[in-house]
Amino acid sequence: MNFAKKFSKRFTLYGNMMYNHYASGNESTLYSEQYLTTGNRYQNSASTSTNRNTMGNGSLGMRWSLDDKTYFNIGGNFSKSKSDNTSDSQQSTSSEGDERINSITRNSDSKSDSHSFSVNADITRVFNDKGTSISLTGSYSDSKSTNESHSLSETTYYQLESSLGGDSVLYRNQYQHSPSTNRAYSVGINLTQPLAENLRLQLGYRYSANRQVSDRSTYESEVYMDSLSNHTLSKTITHDLSLYLNYDGKQWEANAGVLMQPERRSLDQKTGLLLRRHGKDECELEPTVECVMASGQDSLRAEL
């Protein structure tokens, strides 16, 4: 569902919403034969699975002209989703003479729940008829998710004797819990200065930061497993400095500029009792040159 409402010449409200739900299932059986020099093998297997997913998202924003030279925009969006999946399977292997070799039974289920939202805003002030202007921008986003999985399995080895004298049986009971978060924000300023009738200079700066945290806790038969669990914390800080020249003529357009991005990254990882810390500083330089020439319906583009 989409909507847009213009309340006046200066104010417009817009947005959309969407909801989706679906479910699916599957059943399968399989029989296979292997002809080997050491003896033939026969295998039967069957499996079932179900999947359910629900998702909803939406956005809302507005455009507001405070006066003839001041413009304000703000918008945001959100989303939420859930899923639930299960699977069951059985498998048996035998040799000639219907002599059993092993059998495997597995049951598993997994669930996930996530939601996110973001907000973006900018305000622009035009100072004169030539088009000199300053824009302030800002954004913030936040997302969280949780994943849970549980698996049970039982494997019986009929030709391998246990310490008690019966068939050997391997039981597995594993549970994993994995929450994660991701937050980011940015602020920036842009200056546009006309230098001639068709020539403009644009200067910009933006500061952005991002923080990601993820955990994975693993339990085997209700016992916490250090080696299968980990914690990760990642941080990134970026400075964007840009300088661009834009020429917009009747027959051709040209853009030239450079973007410099100093960036600092840090990463902390903990697996069991082992802790690793990493840090990295880098700076990227991205020059850009573009020229477009148009003649009627034909155009020629060159980029560097």
Side-chain angles (χ1 to χ4, degrees):
M1 180 180 70
N2 301 292
F3 73 90
K5 176 66 175 178
K6 191 171 184 179
F7 292 91
S8 66
K9 292 182 179 180
R10 297 185 181 276
F11 186 81
T12 301
L13 188 68
Y14 59 90
N16 67 74
M17 292 187 67
M18 185 185 73
Y19 175 81
N20 185 33
H21 174 77
Y22 70 91
S24 63
N26 181 64
E27 292 186 1
S28 65
T29 59
L30 177 67
Y31 172 76
S32 64
E33 297 182 0
Q34 288 182 303
Y35 301 99
L36 307 173
T37 57
T38 56
N40 300 335
R41 288 193 174 187
Y42 310 93
Q43 190 175 91
N44 287 282
S45 62
S47 65
T48 61
S49 64
T50 60
N51 305 278
R52 296 181 179 88
N53 292 271
T54 303
M55 181 185 69
N57 60 57
S59 65
L60 183 66
M62 73 173 188
R63 294 186 292 267
W64 185 16
S65 299
L66 282 72
D67 53 44
D68 292 338
K69 294 184 178 181
T70 309
Y71 309 95
F72 178 65
N73 300 285
I74 186 170
N77 60 70
F78 68 91
S79 65
K80 183 174 179 59
S81 63
K82 285 186 176 182
S83 67
D84 190 351
N85 307 298
T86 63
S87 65
D88 303 293
S89 64
Q90 299 85 35
Q91 177 183 300
S92 63
T93 305
S94 60
S95 60
E96 291 183 284
D98 201 24
E99 184 177 0
R100 293 187 297 178
I101 298 176
N102 61 52
S103 63
I104 304 172
T105 301
R106 294 189 182 95
N107 308 99
S108 66
D109 64 86
S110 63
K111 296 180 180 181
S112 67
D113 189 351
S114 65
H115 66 270
S116 66
F117 73 91
S118 65
V119 179
N120 299 275
D122 66 83
I123 184 169
T124 300
R125 175 67 178 178
V126 181
F127 293 100
N128 51 45
D129 295 336
K130 293 182 179 180
T132 303
S133 65
I134 287 182
S135 298
L136 301 176
T137 64
S139 67
Y140 178 81
S141 64
D142 188 295
S143 64
K144 295 182 180 180
S145 65
T146 301
N147 297 284
E148 293 183 347
S149 63
H150 187 205
S151 61
L152 289 168
S153 67
E154 178 181 320
T155 304
T156 304
Y157 301 94
Y158 299 104
Q159 298 181 8
L160 182 63
E161 187 175 329
S162 69
S163 59
L164 299 177
D167 298 327
S168 293
V169 181
L170 175 63
Y171 296 99
R172 298 295 302 271
N173 182 2
Q174 190 176 93
Y175 170 76
Q176 282 190 342
H177 179 70
S178 305
S180 64
T181 61
N182 187 353
R183 293 186 178 94
Y185 70 91
S186 69
V187 291
I189 183 170
N190 297 285
L191 169 67
T192 300
Q193 175 62 54
L195 302 178
E197 182 180 357
N198 299 318
L199 182 63
R200 292 184 304 168
L201 172 69
Q202 292 179 316
L203 298 171
Y205 170 76
R206 185 179 68 172
Y207 171 88
S208 58
N210 178 261
R211 185 178 189 270
Q212 299 180 15
V213 180
S214 64
D215 288 284
R216 184 180 67 190
S217 300
T218 303
Y219 298 85
E220 186 73 41
S221 299
E222 300 184 356
V223 177
Y224 181 74
M225 306 296 292
D226 279 340
S227 61
L228 299 177
S229 304
N230 61 51
H231 170 84
T232 303
L233 170 61
S234 172
K235 296 180 181 179
T236 304
I237 295 177
T238 307
H239 302 269
D240 292 350
L241 299 98
S242 60
L243 169 64
Y244 292 101
L245 283 170
N246 171 259
Y247 178 82
D248 186 4
K250 293 182 179 180
Q251 292 187 334
W252 63 282
E253 298 177 6
N255 296 282
V258 61
L259 172 65
M260 185 171 66
Q261 290 182 307
E263 185 176 79
R264 168 169 290 186
R265 298 181 182 180
S266 64
L267 178 65
D268 293 349
Q269 290 181 311
K270 183 180 180 181
T271 302
L273 300 177
L274 182 62
L275 176 63
R276 294 187 178 95
R277 290 181 175 175
H278 308 273
K280 184 178 182 181
D281 292 321
E282 62 182 9
C283 183
E284 293 187 4
L285 198 64
E286 299 181 9
T288 301
V289 177
E290 180 184 31
C291 183
V292 179
M293 183 175 293
S295 177
Q297 296 182 351
D298 298 326
S299 62
L300 178 64
R301 179 186 296 270
E303 296 181 5
L304 177 61

